[in-house]
């Protein structure tokens, strides 16, 4: 499994610092945080980003992310964002764009959620196909997210039934949302684009800021990785944290620790 670094882990650092620190730590791939990318493009242009990646021999895995992609107030705006990111992504030779389902003010029935999600992903898939790109649909374990369990996300991806649409599995959302390892055993590993890894100190009332380094919490990560191995998944493993205590440390220090923790966890 190739190890990747996600720019959310060092949110206060710029993209250039993320790239350099990821290389120094030993990562082979990077998930580029969208706002950092757009900020860099405004000041330096796409060639600057390409040179940074090439000089540091770092493979760009994803752009993270199109948020509230479903149940948005303006679907056409989200489709335009998808097309814009696809154009940028193709220039950088990125593999995929992360698509995040929308949050709901009140719970809807599953049939409505599936219908909306499949419809949006079909449209985005058609856009991404023109650029030779994949889309990764990432369920979020929060109770107010429209898709907060892996089984529902998998059903949506299956119904979309497009070669360029797959699943992103995040350990925080997997366990806090109540998904189970036996459900993971039923997933086609070829449809998992990337696995996001982090740990949690608890499973109730989880917030993004609760995430900690792999091995520093209570999640059964070794069982999780054993299950991934059993189903034949050998794709990218990416560390993604939203913890302010890490953001306030030097980026390269956080990145180095993240690499060591992740490498130890997947052995």
């Amino acid at each position: 499994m190739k190890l990747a670094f996600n720019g959310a882990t060092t949110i206060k650092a710029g993209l250039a610092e993320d790239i350099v620190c990821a290389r120094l730590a030993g990562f082979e791939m990077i998930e580029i945080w969208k706002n950092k990318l757009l900020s860099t493009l405004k000041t330096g242009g796409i060639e600057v980003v390409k040179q940074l990646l090439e000089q540091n021999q770092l493979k760009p895995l994803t752009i993270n992310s199109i948020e509230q992609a479903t149940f948005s107030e303006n679907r056409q705006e989200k489709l335009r964002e998808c097309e814009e990111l696809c154009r940028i992504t193709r220039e950088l030779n990125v593999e995929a764009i992360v698509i995040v389902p929308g949050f709901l003010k009140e719970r809807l029935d599953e049939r409505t959620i599936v219908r909306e999600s499949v419809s949006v992903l079909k449209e985005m898939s058609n856009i991404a196909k023109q650029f030779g790109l994949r889309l990764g649909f990432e369920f979020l374990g929060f109770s107010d997210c429209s898709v907060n369990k892996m089984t529902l996300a998998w059903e949506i991806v299956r119904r979309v039934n497009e070669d360029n649409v797959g699943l992103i599995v995040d350990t925080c959302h997997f366990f806090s949302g109540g998904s189970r390892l036996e459900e993971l055993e039923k997933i086609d590993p070829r449809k998992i684009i990337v696995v996001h890894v982090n740990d949690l100190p608890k499973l109730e009332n989880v917030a993004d800021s609760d995430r900690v380094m792999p091995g520093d919490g209570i999640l059964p990560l070794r069982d999780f990785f054993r299950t991934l191995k059993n189903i034949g998944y050998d794709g990218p493993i990416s560390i993604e944290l939203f913890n302010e205590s890490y953001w306030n440390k030097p980026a390269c220090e956080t990145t180095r620790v993240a690499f060591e923790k992740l490498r130890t966890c997947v052995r």
Side-chain angles (χ1 to χ4, degrees), residues 151-221:
T151 51
L152 180 55
W154 178 232
E155 176 64 17
I156 290 166
V157 168
R158 285 179 62 249
R159 292 200 185 192
V160 171
N161 194 29
E162 296 287 354
D163 290 341
N164 69 331
V165 177
L167 192 66
I168 292 178
V169 181
D170 184 302
T171 55
C172 165
H173 298 304
F174 182 89
F175 288 105
S176 67
S179 295
R180 303 190 305 273
L181 293 176
E182 52 264 37
E183 296 166 345
L184 183 59
E185 291 174 348
K186 300 176 183 178
I187 303 297
D188 182 350
R190 297 169 297 180
K191 295 294 283 185
I192 301 177
I193 289 178
V194 59
V195 173
H196 289 167
V197 181
N198 36 71
D199 213 331
L200 291 170
K202 60 179 183 176
L203 286 177
E204 296 181 356
N205 300 316
V206 169
D208 266 331
S209 58
D210 290 321
R211 301 180 191 218
V212 293
M213 293 283 183
D216 290 354
I218 64 170
L219 297 185
L221 293 180

Side-chain angles (χ1 to χ4, degrees), residues 66-82 99-105 108 112-113 115-117 119-121 123-124 137 144 146:
I66 299 177
E67 299 175 348
Q68 195 71 30
T70 59
F71 298 101
S72 64
E73 295 180 357
N74 189 332
R75 180 187 289 203
Q76 291 305 312
E77 182 179 301
K78 294 298 176 181
L79 295 177
R80 285 192 294 270
E81 181 182 1
C82 180
I99 308 297
V100 178
F103 286 79
L104 300 173
K105 294 180 180 178
L108 298 174
T112 300
I113 292 170
R115 184 171 60 245
E116 162 76 3
S117 302
S119 176
V120 171
L121 284 172
E123 290 193 73
M124 289 188 170
F137 189 55
D144 55 347
S146 57

Side-chain angles (χ1 to χ4, degrees), residues 237-249:
I237 301 292
S238 178
I239 189 160
E240 183 184 56
L241 303 169
F242 291 88
N243 191 315
E244 191 170 346
S245 66
Y246 303 132
W247 292 348
N248 291 329
K249 294 179 180 179

